[in-house]
Amino acid sequence: MPTATVLAQLAADHPCLWGHISTPEAAAWVLEPSARLVPTRSTGKAGPRWWDARRQGGLDRQGRPIDALTDRRGSRLIYPLPLPVGELNEQPTARLARPLTLYGGTLFEHFGHLLLDLTRTYQLLRLFRRSKEPIWFHYPEQTKKRANRSQGSAREEPINPLVDEWLRCLGIRKRVRLIRRTLESSMLVSSSVLYRDREFVTADFPAAAQAALAPRLRKRLLKVDRQPGRIAYFSRHKLQQGTTCFEGEQEVVAALAALPNVDVICAEELSIRDKLKLFRRYPLITGFPQAALHLKYFVPYRQPSELASLFLFTAGPRSLNSNWVNLDRVYGFGDRLLDCTPSAEANDPSPAAGPGKGQDDGSFQRRNPFAVGRVIDTMRELAGQ
């Protein structure tokens, strides 16, 4: 079997890697007196730069944007407030400022960003789990509302079902409030992010992620029985869109049907709760990088050996986000990666679009070929066949 690399030990110049490797010590708390939270508003800018199409964020007592509350992916600012901010003249919703405002960040509908960009909330829950204070979020309005809708009434607004399910898994659905008008607060409490896409994961991410799920759900997950000897393969072959399509996976799935102790899992067909159980049920989970595998970092455990070990496949330039390396460094799980980039002389089928190139219909950002035979042979060896 080809030699696999421990994710935490992957070299920064590995050809498959995309992004920076960094694990800072800890995130900083954000405590801002006399602050304002500005709702999400359209800028009227249309086009491919979606991150400039809206603006949102927080202002300090001097009316300056609070940098720690601005979302980023890599070095790109997401929905940043303009400078200068004099045009932000929305009025607060009440004559008196709220004594305390807990700000949880932005709710994104993409599953991976929903999980990993919500770290301000996870950090808050370490201190405010038993509090009855609402947690305020930025979330773009999905449909036109009545003019007299109440501020932050999340239960009266349509929310993406995936977002709704994750909030219920966190046990905070009833505490969620959406920022629809400028909100003034005598004291704003939040956190800088514990994770930034393709940039870093802080050392306190594991403690926050382990405190994120609702206590009842954590208890149920700890009771899930292990199935010794079984292997799960997380397949993406049914997906119609996404970041990266690893072409040839259908052939892998067909070959796995002959392995009696390997179960093919299509994550999009399961609820979040059922996906969480898989990381305690299986000793080993394999597959190409995908958002559902990030759920491992939220599953409770007493010893790391209670959770499934990850064995990832990847191929081609920019096919592995540096988040995987950063997460394995702070958790110390020792999960593994096998580079299956096809050699020039390999006989693996070649797709029409080369590595790192998307296809015309825009369903995937990139389509990467991989050494199909290497993945199949590795799975057979892992399964003891």
Side-chain angles (χ1 to χ4, degrees):
M1 180 175 66
T3 302
T5 303
V6 174
L7 280 167
Q9 299 174 1
L10 196 69
D13 60 352
H14 191 283
C16 288
L17 196 63
W18 180 27
H20 302 285
I21 296 177
S22 179
T23 53
E25 279 302 311
W29 284 96
V30 176
L31 304 175
E32 288 284 348
S34 303
R36 282 188 290 161
L37 288 173
V38 179
T40 307
R41 290 288 184 263
S42 172
T43 63
K45 297 179 181 178
R49 294 171 59 89
W50 61 267
W51 53 91
D52 287 334
R54 303 175 187 273
R55 67 185 182 200
Q56 62 181 38
L59 301 174
D60 65 15
R61 59 176 20 165
Q62 283 80 33
R64 299 169 303 194
I66 302 171
D67 184 68
L69 303 189
T70 300
D71 294 316
R72 289 172 170 82
R73 293 182 191 169
S75 59
R76 178 186 297 163
L77 298 175
I78 308 298
Y79 305 152
L81 291 177
L83 287 173
V85 295
E87 61 187 271
L88 300 174
N89 55 4
E90 295 197 42
Q91 298 300 312
T93 58
R95 293 180 180 178
L96 298 178
R98 295 183 58 84
L100 174 67
T101 300
L102 304 180
Y103 176 65
T106 304
L107 297 170
F108 292 105
E109 294 184 351
H110 177 279
F111 191 44
H113 292 298
L114 173 64
L115 297 182
L116 296 181
D117 283 332
L118 212 56
T119 57
R120 297 183 185 96
T121 297
Y122 310 147
Q123 191 79 311
L124 284 174
L125 288 175
R126 297 174 68 182
L127 295 182
F128 296 96
R129 167 64 71 181
R130 297 188 178 183
S131 171
K132 294 183 180 180
E133 284 290 329
I135 304 177
W136 293 83
F137 296 90
H138 281 108
Y139 183 63
E141 293 187 75
Q142 304 304 292
T143 59
K144 292 183 179 180
K145 309 297 186 307
R146 296 191 304 271
N148 63 348
R149 77 196 188 299
S150 60
Q151 159 85 335
S153 54
R155 284 168 287 183
E156 297 177 6
E157 294 191 31
I159 288 186
N160 180 282
L162 197 65
V163 175
D164 184 87
E165 185 182 2
W166 183 236
L167 294 173
R168 293 181 188 280
C169 287
L170 301 180
I172 61 172
R173 185 64 184 88
K174 293 182 179 180
R175 295 174 63 183
V176 170
R177 300 294 184 271
L178 306 181
I179 303 165
R180 294 307 186 215
R181 299 178 186 174
T182 298
L183 181 67
E184 290 200 356
S185 176
S186 297
M187 179 58 69
L188 172 67
V189 178
S190 190
S191 170
S192 59
V193 293
L194 285 66
Y195 150 94
R196 184 179 296 167
D197 190 35
R198 307 188 306 277
E199 289 289 327
F200 63 79
V201 175
T202 64
D204 51 347
F205 181 99
Q210 285 292 296
L213 296 181
R216 289 184 180 179
L217 178 56
R218 292 205 299 269
K219 290 179 181 179
R220 289 198 294 269
L221 290 171
L222 285 170
K223 295 178 181 180
V224 174
D225 293 329
R226 175 66 63 89
Q227 296 180 342
R230 298 208 66 80
I231 298 174
Y233 177 85
F234 271 46
S235 173
R236 300 160 55 93
H237 74 283
K238 292 184 180 180
L239 293 178
Q240 300 300 312
Q241 60 183 359
T243 303
T244 305
C245 173
F246 293 93
E247 295 199 342
E249 195 171 27
Q250 185 72 55
E251 185 177 343
V252 173
V253 171
L256 296 183
L259 304 179
N261 59 332
V262 175
D263 298 324
V264 174
I265 305 293
C266 293
E268 67 274 13
E269 298 177 346
L270 301 176
S271 69
I272 297 178
R273 288 178 175 81
D274 286 340
K275 285 193 279 279
L276 288 164
K277 295 175 184 177
L278 300 178
F279 296 92
R280 293 193 58 87
R281 182 171 298 144
Y282 288 94
L284 179 64
I285 291 179
T286 64
F288 286 88
Q290 55 187 282
L293 294 176
H294 284 136
L295 284 170
K296 173 180 177 176
Y297 304 113
F298 297 89
V299 179
Y301 61 90
R302 302 178 186 90
Q303 300 293 330
S305 58
E306 297 175 13
L307 298 184
S309 177
L310 298 183
F311 192 107
L312 302 180
F313 303 105
T314 195
R318 291 162 55 96
S319 60
L320 181 74
N321 195 304
S322 61
N323 301 333
W324 297 96
V325 179
N326 291 329
L327 285 164
D328 199 55
R329 285 193 171 194
V330 296
Y331 274 91
F333 285 148
D335 291 330
R336 294 169 290 170
L337 172 78
L338 182 64
D339 183 359
C340 295
T341 301
S343 59
E345 65 273 8
N347 293 322
D348 294 277
S350 298
K357 297 179 181 178
Q359 72 167 23
D360 293 339
D361 64 9
S363 57
F364 288 95
Q365 295 177 29
R366 293 181 295 277
R367 287 181 174 270
N368 286 33
F370 66 94
V372 175
R374 184 180 302 168
V375 173
I376 293 174
D377 290 344
T378 301
M379 287 300 301
R380 286 172 176 161
E381 187 162 347
L382 290 173
Q385 300 297 312

